[in-house]
């Protein structure tokens, strides 16, 4: 009989995260922030001396979400910050790869998301309205990243991601930072939002 493949990952915190059955107890924000700071958006195809990380993207999405929903409760802003948290172990796959992998990827992402949410006091599944609002902020973030970092024209970005409200994106200039700075920004914002709950 073949030996079963290992389905857990050891984190820097010492936790062992079971990918098939993740539990909130095995999730630490430091592990999430560290992993996301080293995961490149756009498969690394961005201008600059550092990759544009998922940690940077997540901080931006939370800021955009706050601009779109200025009266949002801190817990929903926290959900926006954590929207890509599972990528600290499964990486950032571009949409065509997710489609090729199929439903298994989505199920893995949903299990990890639920565990992350429960770890930080959020419902395992977000209300549909909140999910839509976060997705809108995510698409606006993608538009900014595409035009400022990934070499897309404004016309292309409008076609793929939708044309953002100029007021929402006003003053948002993306700057690439070393992973250690992206990690700090992510954990700092997480702590601020937890304190506001």
């Amino acid at each position: 009989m073949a030996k079963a493949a290992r389905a857990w990952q050891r984190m820097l915190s010492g936790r062992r995260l079971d990918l098939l059955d993740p539990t909130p107890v095995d999730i630490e924000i430091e592990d999430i922030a560290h992993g996301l700071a080293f995961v490149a958006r756009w498969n690394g195809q961005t201008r600059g001396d550092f990759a544009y990380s998922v940690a940077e993207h997540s901080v931006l999405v939370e800021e955009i979400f706050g601009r779109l929903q200025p009266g949002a409760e801190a817990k929903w802003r926290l959900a926006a910050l954590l929207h890509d948290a599972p990528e600290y172990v499964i990486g950032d796959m571009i949409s065509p790869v997710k489609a090729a992998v199929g439903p298994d990827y989505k199920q893995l992402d949903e299990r990890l998301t639920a565990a992350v949410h429960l770890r930080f006091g959020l419902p395992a599944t977000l209300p549909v309205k909140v999910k839509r609002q976060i997705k809108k902020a995510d698409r606006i973030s993608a538009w900014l990243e595409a035009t400022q970092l990934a070499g897309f024209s404004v016309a292309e970005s409008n076609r793929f991601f939708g044309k953002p409200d100029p007021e929402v994106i006003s003053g948002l200039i993306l700057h690439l930072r070393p992973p250690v700075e992206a990690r700090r920004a992510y954990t700092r914002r997480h702590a601020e939002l937890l304190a506001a709950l």
Side-chain angles (χ1 to χ4, degrees):
M1 182 187 284
K3 184 178 175 184
R6 176 173 63 92
W8 56 266
Q9 180 174 348
R10 185 187 182 284
M11 299 297 162
L12 288 177
S13 64
R15 301 281 188 192
R16 285 188 179 190
L17 182 65
D18 183 339
L19 299 178
L20 298 177
D21 187 23
T23 63
V25 173
D26 292 322
I27 292 170
E28 299 293 342
I29 194 60
E30 292 79 10
D31 293 332
I32 294 172
H34 183 82
L36 295 183
F38 284 94
V39 175
R41 293 265 299 162
W42 303 92
N43 278 348
Q45 298 302 305
T46 50
R47 297 182 186 110
D49 294 330
F50 300 102
Y52 184 71
S53 72
V54 176
E56 291 277 15
H57 162 76
S58 298
V59 171
L60 178 62
V61 168
E62 187 270 327
E63 182 175 347
I64 293 168
F65 177 82
R67 289 178 177 208
L68 291 169
Q69 306 297 325
E73 295 176 61
K75 67 181 178 179
W76 304 136
R77 291 190 73 150
L78 178 61
L81 181 71
L82 296 169
H83 80 284
D84 278 340
E87 294 179 9
Y88 84 111
V89 288
I90 58 177
D92 181 32
M93 288 192 211
I94 59 175
S95 296
V97 175
K98 288 177 185 176
V101 172
D104 290 343
Y105 176 87
K106 184 173 181 177
Q107 291 167 4
L108 175 60
D109 183 73
E110 287 172 351
R111 283 193 303 268
L112 287 165
T113 297
V116 168
H117 284 175
L118 293 173
R119 170 66 176 87
F120 299 112
L122 299 171
T125 303
L126 297 178
V128 172
K129 182 179 178 183
V130 173
K131 251 182 125 166
R132 279 195 199 118
Q133 292 165 341
I134 292 171
K135 188 63 185 168
K136 182 175 182 180
D138 194 29
R139 289 180 66 78
I140 293 169
S141 174
W143 187 94
L144 286 165
E145 295 163 20
T147 57
Q148 293 185 27
L149 301 174
F152 284 60
S153 70
V154 168
E156 283 178 308
S157 296
N158 289 347
R159 189 167 60 251
F160 293 125
F161 309 110
K163 186 176 179 180
D165 179 341
E167 202 171 295
V168 172
I169 62 171
S170 176
L172 291 176
I173 307 298
L174 308 187
H175 300 285
L176 300 181
R177 298 187 264 189
V180 67
E181 291 180 23
R183 182 177 67 213
R184 279 191 209 121
Y186 189 92
T187 53
R188 182 174 50 248
R189 189 62 187 139
H190 180 266
E192 291 168 355
L193 290 167
L194 275 186
L197 292 179

